[in-house]
Amino acid sequence: MQIYLDYSANTPPRSEVIKTMQDVLAQQWGNPSSLHQWGQRAAIVLERARMQVARLINAPAESIIFTSGGTEADNLAVMGVAQAYKKPQHIIISSVEHSAIAQPVAWLEQWGWQVTRLPVDSLGMVNPGDLKAALQANTVLVSVIYGQSEVGTLQPIDELGQIAREQGVLFHTDAVQVAGRLSIDVQQLPVDLLSISSHKIYGPMGSGALYIRPDVELVPLISGGGQESRLRSGTQAVPLIAGFGMAAELAAVQMLKETPRLIRLRDRMFDQLADTPN
Ligand SMILES: Cc1ncc(COP(=O)(O)O)c(C=O)c1O
């Protein structure tokens, strides 16, 4: 028997997600920017998905920008902030970011930006005191991963976000491994930007979102037809987004039971492995 244990890399789409996507492909295939009925039917699907994803993190629907996944959401957060400046500034990340943050930040560094990479302790935790000490007058963004994709460490995002906010610095968190597993409330959490990915929550690959706090202004990475409030041009992948929306709605309900069940399973596995030589 084979057992799939790589759910942090990808989750199998739920049957409701597959059904939603099939229905959209077959029936709501219009371009959501078109003014005629076919377009408007697709636009309704798109906006329903936006509400479903927004509800997962208690955000207003209009603060959700659909992207091609977590990678693009992360890139949009970093480059969207950076491109607003004519001259290089200072950016702070942790030393345990996913490459979707680490790489664009490394590019910025090549273009003259100053970068501070906060160290982590033996559990992979960032020390809030280190963030306080690293902030400078020209710091324009702090980005710290919420749940680390390889070892699972959860960062004190509340505390870190608050420190950045007190200094008037934008705070982004990559919540790709957390959204849909632990409850997130962006009305309470001091974050300005937050990345989510569909395929980690039993939705399809190729869809994700960036939450952007309403008063935060970003420069788009992809320009063109002005879709997604001009922040991400290109005809939206409506079938994928609809699947993502359904996955988000299911996750919001199931998370309450599912997360404690997974924690029990994980603890049991760790206990048993601890008794296994080597
Ligand atoms: C923490 C984290 N950020 C970003 C990504 C990239 O997301 P996507 O695969 O949707 O581009 C991943 C995927 O593994 C991830 O684990």
Side-chain angles (χ1 to χ4, degrees), residues 8 19 21 47 57 66 87 124 144 150 159 161 169 175 179 248 252:
S8 293
K19 169 91 176 60
M21 291 172 60
E47 295 316 314
I57 57 170
F66 286 118
K87 288 191 184 148
V144 177
E150 291 178 37
E159 208 177 334
V169 176

Side-chain angles (χ1 to χ4, degrees), residues 132-166:
K132 246 183 217 168
L135 285 163
Q136 302 177 178
N138 65 341
T139 310
V140 296
L141 180 69
V142 176
S143 180
V144 177
I145 190 167
Y146 200 144
Q148 217 282 333
S149 43
E150 291 178 37
V151 294
T153 306
L154 292 170
Q155 300 294 347
I157 293 303
D158 218 333
E159 208 177 334
L160 298 171
Q162 194 55 42
I163 291 169
R165 180 164 288 180
E166 279 162 15

Side-chain angles (χ1 to χ4, degrees), residues 8-10 67-74 96-101 145-150 174-178 181 195-200 204-208:
S8 293
N10 196 45
T67 65
S68 64
T71 299
E72 192 190 321
D74 282 351
V96 290
E97 295 303 308
H98 189 274
S99 47
I101 288 291
I145 190 167
Y146 200 144
Q148 217 282 333
S149 43
E150 291 178 37
D174 174 340
V176 164
Q177 294 291 349
V178 176
R181 294 191 177 135
S195 306
I196 313 176
S197 175
S198 155
H199 71 106
K200 311 293 186 183
M205 294 159 172
S207 190

Side-chain angles (χ1 to χ4, degrees), residues 176-241:
V176 164
Q177 294 291 349
V178 176
R181 294 191 177 135
L182 298 175
S183 103
I184 295 178
D185 181 347
V186 293
Q187 308 297 332
Q188 303 296 326
L189 204 61
V191 299
D192 301 295
L193 302 155
L194 182 143
S195 306
I196 313 176
S197 175
S198 155
H199 71 106
K200 311 293 186 183
I201 61 168
Y202 304 87
M205 294 159 172
S207 190
L210 182 66
Y211 158 75
I212 307 176
R213 190 171 289 285
D215 50 354
V216 172
E217 288 192 15
L218 296 186
V219 177
L221 289 181
I222 303 176
S223 304
Q227 291 91 342
E228 296 299 299
S229 309
R230 312 199 76 78
L231 281 169
R232 204 282 183 177
S233 285
T235 304
Q236 290 94 339
V238 182
L240 296 176
I241 291 171

